[in-house]
Amino acid sequence: MLLKAELHCHIEGAALPALVTSQAEKYGADVSAFIRDGAYHWHDFSSFLAAYDAAANLFRSEEDYAALAETYLTGLANEGAIYSEFFTSPDHAERAGLSPQAYTAGLGEGIVRARAKTGIEGRMIVTGVRHFGPAAVEKAARFAATCGHPLVTGFGMAGDERSGHPRDFVRAFDIAREAGLGITVHAGEFGGADSVEAALDYFAPTRIGHGVRTVEDPDLVRRVAEEGVVLEVCPVSNVVLGVFPDYTHHPFPQLHAAGCRLTLNSDDPPHFHTSIGHEYAVASRHFDLDEAALTAVTCTALEAAFVDEETRRTLLSRLAEAEAAQVVAE
Ligand SMILES: Nc1ncnc2[nH]cnc12
Ligand SMILES: [Zn+2]
């Protein structure tokens, strides 16, 4: 099986409807507003975010989060993934009544359990939610910088990128960067190329979440390629949320041809009826990536991962060995 790596998945958004339904039974809650016939039910970005928030609210204990991360990562490993970074959101945990520390400890325990079962490596990127405002994002950054959890290696910002001015979030990113965390930020999904440019100028990230609307500005495409900024592309999310009408209008091939460094990711997999395996299959079918090109995508993800150099070397060796074995088999 082709080896894969994922850098962009929101852990609350990875909860399968069946798991959320069983959590609702445990806590005596009603999911009929956002889960119908065993699937998530929403119709636009705002109602998607509402469904996401409602599902997140049903994970309330350290063990709930350990089971969520373990389930998610085990499924990922079964599809050939050797590495995963997922986004955490202390704000969502606090809204569900759990401290950021217990939330992070639970998710970390899930990573350890999944690694013991499957060998998959995992790391966490703490995120602030942009539409919760600059104070909330700064609080998330302070938590990321001081929590001391060895598997927290990055900081990012998700949520509605059209909310607030970038300058108001600069301090949060400075706090995280000074603590030695890797930096990524959602931009160029519902905002255009100017949103990506502002994210680069104000936050100096090494990666951009989505970033696909970079394609709207040829100068910015050149800048992203030249500076080696890695885009965490989520093709299925983009089409399901209506950022592009279909795969023939998706800019992956154009950005790839321009020399931008791209990765493939599932974002919020059950909300978009996707998985890491499906994203790679979509890229193969619609963007004409052969096995060597897909392996290069995995390699880019490992190069851009927020991990220590020894772990990176180990992961890159696993990928190189699998590729060599594939060549021998052919
Ligand atoms: N696709 C997305 N864009 C922005 N924020 C998100 N949070 C969860 N999924 C998201
Ligand atoms: Zn995302």
Side-chain angles (χ1 to χ4, degrees), residues 19-321:
L19 178 59
V20 174
T21 303
S22 74
Q23 291 293 115
E25 279 160 15
K26 184 158 94 180
Y27 294 121
D30 177 15
V31 296
S32 60
F34 63 98
I35 294 179
R36 298 200 193 141
D37 300 324
Y40 283 112
H41 186 82
W42 46 262
H43 57 276
D44 58 13
F45 187 54
S46 298
S47 60
F48 154 68
L49 287 177
Y52 176 99
D53 290 349
N57 191 253
L58 295 168
F59 292 83
R60 300 179 179 175
S61 71
E62 198 169 318
E63 178 52 34
D64 287 349
Y65 283 102
L68 173 58
E70 181 184 355
T71 309
Y72 172 62
L73 292 174
T74 303
L76 212 58
N78 288 340
E79 289 194 298
I82 58 171
Y83 183 71
S84 154
E85 263 164 36
F86 58 72
F87 296 127
T88 74
S89 172
D91 284 290
H92 281 88
E94 281 197 301
R95 287 174 177 213
L98 190 66
S99 74
Q101 286 80 3
Y103 166 71
T104 305
L107 291 169
E109 171 62 21
I111 293 176
V112 169
R113 286 184 202 163
R115 179 168 52 201
K117 276 200 305 195
T118 68
I120 191 167
E121 274 295 341
R123 296 291 186 273
M124 293 180 268
I125 300 173
V126 174
T127 58
V129 181
R130 188 161 178 160
H131 56 267
F132 291 175
V137 175
E138 197 174 312
K139 187 172 168 214
R142 279 191 204 290
F143 173 71
T146 58
C147 73
H149 195 294
L151 299 179
V152 168
T153 55
F155 176 73
M157 183 163 70
D160 192 338
E161 68 180 287
R162 298 162 295 190
S163 167
H165 192 282
R167 89 172 77 81
D168 299 329
F169 300 97
V170 165
R171 196 139 61 121
F173 284 94
D174 286 348
I175 289 166
R177 195 179 312 97
E178 280 160 24
L181 297 169
I183 302 291
T184 177
V185 55
H186 280 59
E189 181 193 24
F190 287 96
D194 51 337
S195 173
V196 177
E197 192 169 17
L200 293 176
D201 290 343
Y202 282 92
F203 310 137
T206 57
R207 303 184 344 214
I208 295 274
H210 298 286
V212 276
R213 289 181 61 187
T214 294
V215 76
E216 293 167 7
D217 177 351
D219 288 337
L220 185 64
V221 172
R222 268 191 294 279
R223 176 177 175 189
V224 165
E226 275 168 24
E227 293 182 6
V229 177
V230 170
L231 305 184
E232 302 157 3
V233 184
C234 310
V236 178
S237 165
N238 293 158
V239 169
V240 174
L241 284 173
V243 177
F244 305 106
D246 54 42
Y247 295 115
T248 59
H249 290 84
H250 197 283
F252 189 108
Q254 206 178 326
L255 292 167
H256 198 238
C260 296
R261 301 175 74 203
L262 308 180
T263 63
L264 288 164
N265 307 275
S266 67
D267 207 8
D268 304 282
H271 286 272
F272 308 137
H273 304 284
T274 189
S275 67
I276 191 66
H278 185 58
E279 300 290 338
Y280 275 66
V282 162
S284 163
R285 192 171 325 130
H286 297 282
F287 308 149
D288 207 22
L289 299 197
D290 61 15
E291 288 208 351
L294 291 171
T295 299
V297 165
T298 304
C299 189
T300 299
L302 297 178
E303 285 167 358
F306 297 151
V307 278
D308 57 280
E309 292 312 313
E310 190 185 337
T311 306
R312 191 190 320 283
R313 265 195 304 277
T314 305
L315 290 163
L316 285 167
S317 303
R318 276 183 77 180
L319 185 63
E321 280 161 24

